[in-house]
Amino acid sequence: MCTRVSNYAARPARRVLAGDIGGTNLRLAVVERGAIEKSVRVPMKEFSSPQALAERSALEISRFGINDVAVGGIGFPCPIDEKSGEPLFSPPNLSFGFEGFIDALSRAAGMRIFGFNDARSAVMGEAMFGAGRERDVVIWHGIGTGYGFAIVDGEQEIFPRANEGGHFKVVNPILDRSAKECGCGARGCAEAYVSGTAMSEHYFQLTGNRLTGEEVGAAFLSKNEVAVKVVHQAMAYLAMNISTGHALTLNGLHVLGGGVAQIGQPLLDTLRIMLRSPGVVSWPRQNDLASKVVLSELGDDAGLLGAAVLAETRDFSFYNPVL
């Protein structure tokens, strides 16, 4: 057991509200010590404003009947202001932003709620309770509607304020004017090539048929030739971003999660082939990076469990009665 996990285990157990807002679903749950007691899932297409999202979230929280819960953490698909816990920008994969959401939900739910980047939440969940619980350095790659990338090193998070590694460049837009435009407004971002949305768009360009990222994954498993081409290209670009994470950490465990990653072992096998291609990995003789990439053990629960941990550790008053 690494220090991060043992230190957390030494803290008093506490029930916490956890949430995960994605491009497809809103998830809310009651969590205690890595176990989900109650949960609910609501499609994001039901909401057209942050006010509607806050009202529905408060309603679902009230249905949990959790009068003893005083703190919560919610993962958002965008950068977060570390001091206020408020989302900084509107996410590229939703039609509205989150202005005033944290404050409105905290008041309606009657508890203190903190916001975190969703990749940050997911990497913490996987590092505490999933595939990374025995490893000091854990790198998360979440492929869903978007693409999230975050790193935990021991008990320290690398660039914790934003965790927008999904917007590292995999194509140089200065040298290559054909670099794809990302929802963030830039070009050449990993998300524009790796995400489920990117796979959906690529498949549409090749066939004229619109499938979701998950549906492209299902077609890939059925050995649809176009879907195979689409997934292979996405994994080639993902290999480049994993190589970047490897250069930052050298000895980290890379965990592949998100809705598209539910394709499972065939997706991982394809990615490992890309990672073993010549020229992708630095110091290849000393590092078999492909063997350091694994599938998430927690699935889409990683973000919920991580948000709960981050909320507990952010609410320092719980651990120090003087505050």
Side-chain angles (χ1 to χ4, degrees):
M1 181 183 296
C2 71
T3 303
R4 173 183 60 246
V5 176
S6 59
N7 285 350
Y8 178 76
R11 291 174 170 147
R14 186 187 194 190
R15 298 173 82 207
V16 180
L17 174 74
D20 186 18
I21 299 175
T24 305
N25 292 304
L26 159 70
R27 292 195 68 200
L28 296 167
V30 180
V31 177
E32 182 175 347
R33 196 54 64 91
I36 295 176
E37 297 181 3
K38 306 175 182 179
S39 68
V40 65
R41 184 190 304 265
V42 183
M44 286 297 292
K45 64 183 180 182
E46 295 188 12
F47 310 112
S48 59
S49 69
Q51 292 77 22
L53 181 63
E55 290 173 3
R56 179 62 179 274
S57 298
L59 174 62
E60 297 297 343
I61 292 169
S62 69
R63 289 172 174 169
F64 285 152
I66 46 175
N67 297 328
D68 62 326
V69 175
V71 65
I74 296 180
F76 291 85
C78 58
I80 300 294
D81 181 273
E82 184 70 6
K83 292 183 178 180
S84 68
E86 290 282 350
L88 289 172
F89 311 120
S90 298
N93 297 313
L94 292 175
S95 61
F96 59 88
F98 297 107
E99 296 83 2
F101 175 82
I102 289 287
D103 183 61
L105 183 57
S106 295
R107 293 176 183 276
M111 67 178 70
R112 190 177 185 184
I113 293 178
F114 299 101
F116 307 101
N117 174 266
D118 57 358
R120 181 184 181 189
S121 297
V123 73
M124 187 58 72
E126 205 68 47
M128 293 295 297
F129 309 110
R133 60 188 176 275
E134 300 291 338
R135 302 291 293 267
D136 284 332
V137 182
V138 183
I139 304 98
W140 169 262
H141 302 270
I143 311 173
T145 306
Y147 165 60
F149 172 107
I151 304 173
V152 167
D153 183 353
E155 293 192 83
Q156 301 297 315
E157 298 167 78
I158 297 179
F159 42 87
R161 292 181 182 274
N163 274 319
E164 285 299 300
H167 297 277
F168 287 165
K169 298 293 181 286
V170 293
V171 176
N172 189 324
I174 300 172
L175 300 177
D176 186 350
R177 295 301 180 90
S178 68
K180 292 184 179 181
E181 184 174 0
C182 180
C184 72
R187 292 182 179 272
C189 299
E191 182 166 286
Y193 293 85
V194 171
S195 67
T197 301
M199 293 186 200
S200 172
E201 184 61 29
H202 189 193
Y203 188 88
F204 177 74
Q205 290 173 353
L206 295 176
T207 66
N209 296 323
R210 180 73 69 182
L211 299 181
T212 65
E214 286 79 3
E215 289 169 341
V216 172
F220 167 77
L221 290 176
S222 299
K223 302 188 185 305
N224 176 288
E225 291 185 6
V226 178
V228 168
K229 180 178 181 178
V230 168
V231 171
H232 278 212
Q233 176 174 295
M235 292 304 98
Y237 283 110
L238 178 57
M240 294 177 64
N241 225 39
I242 288 178
S243 179
T244 298
H246 173 67
L248 290 170
T249 64
L250 290 183
N251 63 343
L253 179 72
H254 296 259
V255 181
L256 196 62
V260 175
Q262 292 179 10
I263 294 172
Q265 192 64 41
L267 185 73
L268 182 60
D269 292 342
T270 301
L271 176 59
R272 284 174 169 169
I273 290 172
M274 303 302 173
L275 286 167
R276 290 185 172 124
S277 299
V280 174
V281 179
S282 303
W283 303 287
R285 293 182 181 178
Q286 291 77 26
N287 293 285
D288 180 18
L289 179 55
S291 67
K292 299 176 182 177
V293 182
V294 300
L295 294 170
S296 165
E297 291 185 3
L298 301 178
D300 60 0
D301 289 342
L304 290 173
L305 299 181
V309 171
L310 290 170
E312 283 190 76
T313 53
R314 176 74 183 265
D315 185 26
F316 295 109
S317 61
F318 173 67
Y319 302 111
N320 187 346
V322 175
L323 297 179

